[in-house]
């Protein structure tokens, strides 16, 4: 009787593997676990950046459009400065900066001419435009980094997991598919997580870059 029961027990033993996502995580090697955690964090960062930047770009577009309307409705630079004085969007900041530069230079315009204040105002507006563009693009580089590196991080986790699985097979001296499959499945989860992190990051990066460029073009048009 014991000789009959032992083979059955040996066959049933590989079936104790928990092939649910959490079960495969718990049974994975610590290196693979570290890769999974880092990729899960990358997924969280990707969606957080996308949500934050989407709201930021939406508000920037609305503020710029409203400031444009208020500026064009003003009868003079001083009137525009009064209307936009409490706003802090780039269009308002550039307008107020030019107004301040003109106010500082006004006593000398009659003697020195207007060319100097024009050059200083153009330089000031160009600098403020560059700062506004940098703020609009801030954060999207992180999505590009995640999109380009996450698949390779996941592949590293998979390669390491398969290496560990083959080491366990060599120790057990059993090449049955029931023994091999769980370890390989655990390793492949890392590649899946890498793709889950990378694909949305690339899509979000392209979308946010396009939206940012449209807003920046608006700033450039206003600066001109």
């Amino acid at each position: 009787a014991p000789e009959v029961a032992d083979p059955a027990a040996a066959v049933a033993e590989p079936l104790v593997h928990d092939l649910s996502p959490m079960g495969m995580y718990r049974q994975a090697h610590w290196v693979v676990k570290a890769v999974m955690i880092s990729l899960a964090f990358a997924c969280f960062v990707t969606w957080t950046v996308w949500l934050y930047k989407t709201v930021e770009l939406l508000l920037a577009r609305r503020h710029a459009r409203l400031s444009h309307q208020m500026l064009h409705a003003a009868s003079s630079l001083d009137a525009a400065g009064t209307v936009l004085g409490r706003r802090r969007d780039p269009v308002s900041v550039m307008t107020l900066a030019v107004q301040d530069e003109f106010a500082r230079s006004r006593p000398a315009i009659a003697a020195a001419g207007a060319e100097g204040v024009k050059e200083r105002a153009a330089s000031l507006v160009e600098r403020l435009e560059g700062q506004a563009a940098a703020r609009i693009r801030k954060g999207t580089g992180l999505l590009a980094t995640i999109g380009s590196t996450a698949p390779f991080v996941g592949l590293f986790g998979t390669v390491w997991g398969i290496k560990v699985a083959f080491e366990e097979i060599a120790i057990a001296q059993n090449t049955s598919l029931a023994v091999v499959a769980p370890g390989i499945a655990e390793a492949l989860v890392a590649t899946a997580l890498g793709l889950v992190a990378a694909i949305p990051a690339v899509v979000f990066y392209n979308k946010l870059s396009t939206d940012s460029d449209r807003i920046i073009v608006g700033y450039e048009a206003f600066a001109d």
Side-chain angles (χ1 to χ4, degrees):
E3 293 179 359
V4 175
D6 286 343
V11 171
E13 184 176 358
L15 300 179
V16 300
H17 284 280
D18 183 0
L19 297 181
S20 66
M22 285 303 300
M24 288 189 287
Y25 167 77
R26 286 192 295 265
Q27 294 162 169
H29 190 268
W30 69 268
V31 173
V32 182
K33 286 182 179 179
V35 170
M36 291 180 180
I37 292 173
S38 64
L39 292 174
F41 180 73
C43 291
F44 172 78
V45 171
T46 295
W47 286 90
T48 301
V49 170
W50 171 77
L51 179 60
Y52 177 83
K53 293 298 295 184
T54 299
V55 174
E56 181 187 30
L57 295 180
L58 178 63
L59 294 177
R61 191 180 301 110
R62 288 183 177 179
H63 291 163
R65 183 166 56 247
L66 180 58
S67 294
H68 270 289
Q69 295 172 354
M70 297 171 67
L71 177 64
H72 289 301
S75 58
S76 66
L77 181 61
D78 290 337
T82 301
V83 173
L84 299 174
R86 294 184 179 181
R87 300 177 63 81
R88 290 295 176 264
D89 59 282
V91 172
S92 300
V93 170
M94 284 188 277
T95 302
L96 295 174
V98 171
Q99 181 191 28
D100 181 66
E101 182 62 36
F102 183 74
R104 292 172 181 269
S105 304
R106 185 174 296 170
I109 289 178
E115 292 303 319
V117 68
K118 286 182 180 179
E119 292 178 1
R120 290 192 298 274
S123 176
L124 182 61
V125 167
E126 183 179 359
R127 185 169 67 252
L128 293 174
E129 175 199 330
Q131 293 174 355
R135 284 195 299 269
I136 286 295
R137 291 195 177 103
K138 186 178 181 180
T140 56
L142 184 60
L143 295 179
T145 301
I146 293 175
S148 60
T149 60
F152 297 103
V153 174
L155 181 60
F156 168 75
T158 295
V159 171
W160 191 276
I162 291 176
K163 179 186 79 70
V164 172
F166 281 133
E167 290 175 353
E168 294 176 352
I169 292 170
I171 294 173
Q173 295 183 355
N174 187 347
T175 59
S176 171
L177 184 61
V179 176
V180 177
I184 296 178
E186 294 161 10
L188 290 175
V189 171
T191 295
L193 283 175
L195 296 177
V196 168
I199 293 174
V202 172
V203 173
F204 294 159
Y205 172 77
N206 292 333
K207 180 65 169 63
L208 293 176
S209 295
T210 302
D211 293 344
S212 298
D213 289 341
R214 290 174 181 171
I215 295 175
I216 292 170
V217 167
Y219 291 158
E220 292 174 351
F222 171 78
D224 292 338

